[in-house]
Amino acid sequence: MKALIVTLLPIFVLYGVIYLFAWGALHFYQTSKNGRRSPLSHKLLRAPGQTLAGQVEDITVELNGDLAMLFLLPFSIFSLYLVQVHWGSLKPSLVNVGGHTLIGLATMVFVAKRLHSRLKTRNLLRLGLEAEMAAGQELNHLMLHGCHVFHDFPAEEFNIDHVIVGPSGVLAVETKGRPKPDKGRGAMDAKVIYDGEALRFPDWNETKPLQQAKRQAVWLSKWLSSAIGESVTAKPALALPGWFVERTKPGDVLVFNGRSPQFLAKPGREGQLSPEIIQRISHQLEQRCRDVEPVAYRKENKKQAGAK
């Protein structure tokens, strides 16, 4: 028994130190908020890539959990083996040691594969987030031309990356981040051809982003028409940040690379929206987009704490 305690003592000490540091950090964080509150009394507007930023944060937490599991698994398997040997009926042998080792290795391989998958997913999410941020920052310049710009507009079980309202009408903009091939072909590796029906990338073709942009514009048209009591038609647009877009034929979707979007503020053939309609549409959009709660110095109310 004494030998077992001596063997397990370093592991218990390690876990105890980890727990104390985690508890201490959480305690000091909570007490640092006492006697203070946020100066912000209203909700914030959604930022470009708001939803993707949350997904990146969530998957990063999961990745940290996988890394911690990989670190703690050998100690856990070793502790389990010692407990079974000293307190159970397991006898020390190469077979038993090998069995526990195989179990540990199999578990670590599973966690490592999941870690690899999550890393790939996070990289794709980051690309999408950066593309939305890049397009959103450029589209914000349209405010100088009398447009209202909203980002990450929450619809029904999906989000519209950007919504633009101005004299030229309403645009529902979908943004896609696509990595470029690096094959030394110069401009060919950076060009996408839009023929009115599909996106012809250097090594692949896509139609789903175009279909998605059109579906979102249809939904936004119906929702806005219902919200303001007048017919509103939202036009679909697709931004591909970083790509050179060559349009060979006209199509139902406006495809551009997100840079220098001032042309979107120019009136089209359909005519201009009146300032009154622009204001009514923008009011409805803002009401739906202003849903971000400030988190600094946020305190849980008693009902939420009791529910937990």
Side-chain angles (χ1 to χ4, degrees):
M1 178 65 68
K2 183 177 180 180
L4 175 62
I5 295 176
V6 171
T7 304
L8 294 179
L9 184 59
I11 297 176
F12 290 144
V13 170
L14 175 63
Y15 286 148
V17 170
I18 292 174
Y19 172 79
L20 286 175
F21 273 105
W23 178 85
L26 182 61
H27 173 73
F28 284 116
Y29 169 71
Q30 294 292 345
T31 55
S32 67
K33 298 193 297 182
N34 293 339
R36 292 180 173 87
R37 62 185 177 88
S38 173
L40 303 177
S41 58
H42 59 276
K43 295 181 180 180
L44 310 177
L45 287 170
R46 301 176 72 86
Q50 183 90 34
T51 299
L52 286 178
Q55 293 176 0
V56 170
E57 184 176 350
D58 290 341
I59 201 170
T60 299
V61 172
E62 294 173 348
L63 284 169
N64 291 336
D66 286 342
L67 288 171
M69 187 176 295
L70 284 175
F71 174 74
L72 295 175
L73 266 174
F75 298 100
S76 301
I77 297 295
F78 180 61
S79 301
L80 177 63
Y81 172 75
L82 291 178
V83 168
Q84 289 178 328
V85 168
H86 288 271
W87 289 347
S89 58
L90 190 68
K91 296 181 179 180
S93 66
L94 290 177
V95 175
N96 292 331
V97 171
H100 281 76
T101 301
L102 288 176
I103 292 174
L105 287 175
T107 307
M108 293 180 70
V109 168
F110 170 78
V111 175
K113 291 181 66 175
R114 187 173 63 183
L115 178 66
H116 176 259
S117 176
R118 285 175 171 168
L119 283 170
K120 289 178 61 178
T121 301
R122 187 177 67 169
N123 198 42
L124 292 175
L125 290 173
R126 279 179 168 172
L127 175 60
L129 172 60
E130 291 169 356
E132 287 192 33
M133 291 176 63
Q137 290 170 4
E138 293 292 328
L139 293 174
N140 282 342
H141 292 303
L142 294 176
M143 297 181 189
L144 299 174
H145 300 272
C147 295
H148 298 252
V149 182
F150 300 91
H151 305 291
D152 204 52
F153 179 79
E156 294 176 352
E157 299 182 356
F158 65 91
N159 285 32
I160 302 176
D161 294 337
H162 318 279
V163 179
I164 303 167
V165 185
S168 60
V170 180
L171 273 176
V173 183
E174 174 64 19
T175 301
K176 292 298 182 185
R178 293 292 184 265
K180 295 178 181 177
D182 190 12
K183 298 183 178 180
R185 295 175 294 187
M188 181 179 176
D189 284 338
K191 183 170 67 175
V192 55
I193 298 174
Y194 175 47
D195 62 6
E197 297 182 357
L199 301 170
R200 312 290 181 184
F201 289 92
D203 299 319
W204 74 95
N205 300 329
E206 291 190 47
T207 58
K208 290 184 179 180
L210 301 171
Q211 298 166 2
Q212 181 182 356
K214 288 190 282 188
R215 287 196 306 269
Q216 292 178 167
V218 169
W219 182 92
L220 185 61
S221 299
K222 293 179 179 178
W223 183 81
L224 284 175
S225 298
S226 175
I228 71 169
E230 292 192 31
S231 177
V232 177
T233 300
K235 294 171 284 188
L238 176 65
L240 300 171
W243 287 87
F244 174 77
V245 180
E246 179 181 333
R247 291 171 286 272
T248 58
K249 292 182 181 178
D252 298 331
V253 180
L254 174 62
V255 181
F256 66 112
N257 69 352
R259 298 295 299 273
S260 302
Q262 288 78 5
F263 71 95
L264 297 177
K266 295 180 180 179
R269 295 179 180 178
E270 297 82 2
Q272 296 189 18
L273 293 180
S274 68
E276 179 188 357
I277 294 296
I278 293 175
Q279 185 61 36
R280 289 167 61 186
I281 291 174
S282 299
H283 174 74
Q284 295 296 329
L285 294 171
E286 180 170 340
Q287 292 300 306
R288 194 149 178 145
C289 281
R290 191 174 289 280
D291 64 350
V292 180
E293 294 278 1
V295 297
Y297 295 99
R298 182 175 61 184
K299 296 179 176 62
E300 292 183 339
N301 59 45
K302 294 182 178 180
K303 290 184 179 180
Q304 289 177 331
K308 292 181 180 179

